[in-house]
Amino acid sequence: MSYKCSRCKRDVTLDEYGGVRCPYCGHRVLLKERSRDIKEVNVE
């Protein structure tokens, strides 16, 4: 899963052993990348 560091804005991939920290700057706030797909909702 792809995340982006809120401080240095670099792409971060988390490993399966935990550790929610940016490997580049050490910041602990990571933003989840949103999908670029457009979803349609049918309203009846």
Side-chain angles (χ1 to χ4, degrees), residues 4-25:
K4 186 169 285 225
C5 176
S6 67
R7 181 183 286 165
C8 68
K9 308 293 188 231
R10 295 176 90 175
D11 290 329
V12 176
T13 347
L14 298 181
D15 58 357
E16 60 190 50
Y17 299 108
V20 183
R21 203 175 272 268
C22 175
Y24 305 106
C25 70

